[in-house]
Amino acid sequence: MAVLIPAHNEEDAIGATLDALTEQTAAPGRVIVVADNCTDATESVAAAHGAQVLRTVGNTARKAGALNQALDAIVSSPPTYVLVVDADTRLSPRFVETALREMARDERIGAVSGLFLGEQASGMLQQFQANEYERYRTQIRSTGRVAVVTGTASLFRLSALRDIAAHRDAELPGVRGDVYDRGAITEDSELTLALKTRGWRLVAPLECECYTELMPTWGDLHRQRVRWYKGMLDNLRSYGPSPVTLRYFGQQFMIGTGIVTIAMLIVLTALSIAAGSFAFQPFWLALGGVFVVERILSVWPAGPKGRLVTAAVIPEIFYDLALQTAFVHAVWLAMLRRDTSWNHVTAARAPLAS
């Protein structure tokens, strides 16, 4: 197995990421930090932690291009599996052991996705994000369906990646020979569509937890989510309607429907208050109570702070409105076919959750 860690100016984060790899219950194999256009001490910090450093050459395709160069570089001594980990992500101790076990039980599994959780939240905004990530884990646990093979940390079968590269510029978008589509701004969601299109299975075991940064400001959050939303919209445009993408098109439609519904609810509530006809109805209060209970239970593992924020209801509604604003912005950019910037954030390190 080989571990690839794409890094661009991550001197403050890369040490903790590499330390977490040494704490794995199964040996992760060769660890390669892919230093992409770094102007800080990322390379020296990585080397001091015992990692091999691979410097990209002339890369202009961001993370996708860096990973393509790294995968080309290891072809002379190809591993059976490739673990891709973001430079600001730390794996739980049993991540590698669990992922390898999953791969061994079914040869049609092309990727084992990590379940990303937020590091120790500082402030209300980061708690909103931590709750959101916890709900995603709850959804995976209840449905077993992997929507996206997360770019934070995922293990891939090399034969699956080679299969993707062989079908680029034909069944799949991109350049033949590339594993990652260098034109995708969200390479993880694009690779997910590619793997599913080629018939590979995807799993996300609960033990494969990884801890990633939380956005520290509303501006950082907005830029991150605009990129995420627009990336998926661009990917769906590239793939077009198919049995694989139909569910994803439906998800985008439901997000849009939710935005319209919330907007109408706010307007109608404001009009009823202005007209003096607003009144609480027992049926709707009871229905709302069920909704609140479900929201609290879905974030229960997030701890007392996460439950309290959810129980307050109104703050998370404003958070959802912020995410909907980012989605509308992404749709606008997608319609104009305009690119969005990559948002690089240096976050403070926090201890791993116990």
Side-chain angles (χ1 to χ4, degrees):
M1 186 176 85
V3 182
L4 301 182
I5 307 176
H8 170 69
N9 291 346
E10 296 284 2
E11 64 179 5
D12 295 326
I14 193 68
T17 299
L18 292 169
D19 287 343
L21 285 170
T22 66
E23 298 168 0
Q24 292 296 302
T25 56
R30 183 166 38 144
V31 178
I32 303 171
V33 172
V34 187
D36 183 37
N37 299 316
C38 292
T39 57
D40 66 354
T42 295
E43 295 184 28
S44 59
V45 173
H49 281 74
Q52 176 185 344
V53 176
L54 173 66
R55 186 181 301 170
T56 60
V57 178
N59 178 41
T60 59
R62 295 177 287 202
K63 182 179 175 181
L67 286 171
N68 282 336
Q69 287 193 21
L71 289 166
D72 287 342
I74 64 174
V75 72
S76 59
S77 179
T80 304
Y81 306 111
V82 176
L83 175 62
V84 178
V85 183
D86 272 352
D88 57 10
T89 297
R90 290 174 290 165
L91 308 184
S92 59
R94 295 185 58 201
F95 189 108
V96 172
E97 174 190 352
T98 303
L100 289 174
R101 185 179 67 240
E102 289 293 316
M103 285 290 195
R105 75 179 175 83
D106 186 350
E107 292 183 353
R108 290 306 301 167
I109 293 178
V112 177
S113 175
L115 291 176
F116 53 92
L117 298 171
E119 294 178 331
Q120 185 173 341
S122 174
M124 187 74 79
L125 174 59
Q126 292 195 342
Q127 189 60 58
F128 291 148
Q129 297 168 71
N131 282 5
E132 179 188 6
Y133 294 169
E134 191 62 58
R135 287 194 179 95
Y136 179 70
R137 183 169 68 163
T138 299
Q139 177 186 339
I140 293 291
R141 183 168 59 242
S142 61
T143 66
R145 184 180 300 117
V146 180
V148 175
V149 176
T150 178
T152 52
S154 293
L155 181 71
F156 298 94
R157 192 182 300 274
L158 184 61
S159 58
L161 297 182
R162 286 177 167 172
D163 179 52
I164 298 302
H167 288 84
R168 292 283 185 200
D169 196 31
E171 183 180 359
L172 305 174
V175 177
R176 183 176 295 275
D178 282 355
V179 171
Y180 287 90
D181 181 3
R182 63 185 74 174
I185 61 173
T186 49
E187 74 294 325
D188 51 356
S189 64
E190 195 284 329
L191 186 58
T192 300
L193 295 179
L195 288 165
K196 288 189 173 185
T197 298
R198 290 295 303 151
W200 291 97
R201 289 191 58 221
L202 314 175
V203 296
L206 296 180
E207 297 89 345
C208 286
E209 294 178 346
C210 53
Y211 298 84
T212 189
E213 66 183 358
L214 298 169
M215 296 297 102
T217 70
W218 287 100
D220 290 323
L221 176 71
H222 181 80
R223 286 184 287 272
Q224 179 198 60
R225 298 312 172 91
V226 169
R227 184 173 65 83
W228 287 5
Y229 289 136
K230 184 177 182 295
M232 177 56 80
L233 292 170
D234 289 347
N235 294 337
L236 291 176
R237 177 190 290 131
S238 296
Y239 277 80
S242 74
V244 168
T245 61
L246 186 60
R247 179 183 297 275
Y248 294 91
F249 276 109
Q251 289 174 346
Q252 310 312 304
F253 175 78
M254 292 307 298
I255 293 174
T257 300
I259 292 173
V260 173
T261 301
I262 290 294
M264 291 178 61
L265 177 62
I266 292 173
V267 170
L268 292 175
T269 300
L271 290 175
S272 65
I273 292 175
S277 59
F278 180 80
F280 291 104
Q281 299 293 331
F283 172 78
W284 293 112
L285 285 174
L287 189 62
V290 173
F291 170 77
V292 172
V293 169
E294 187 278 331
R295 297 273 291 182
I296 293 174
L297 292 177
S298 67
V299 300
W300 198 263
K305 187 177 178 181
R307 300 167 205 159
L308 182 62
V309 168
T310 297
V313 180
I314 299 299
E316 282 200 329
I317 290 178
F318 280 103
Y319 177 70
D320 291 340
L321 289 174
L323 298 186
Q324 291 177 352
T325 300
F327 180 79
V328 172
H329 188 182
V331 170
W332 177 250
L333 292 176
M335 290 173 60
L336 296 179
R337 294 181 181 265
R338 291 172 54 186
D339 202 357
T340 183
S341 61
W342 190 279
N343 189 41
H344 181 78
V345 174
T346 300
R349 300 291 94 194
L352 278 175
S354 57

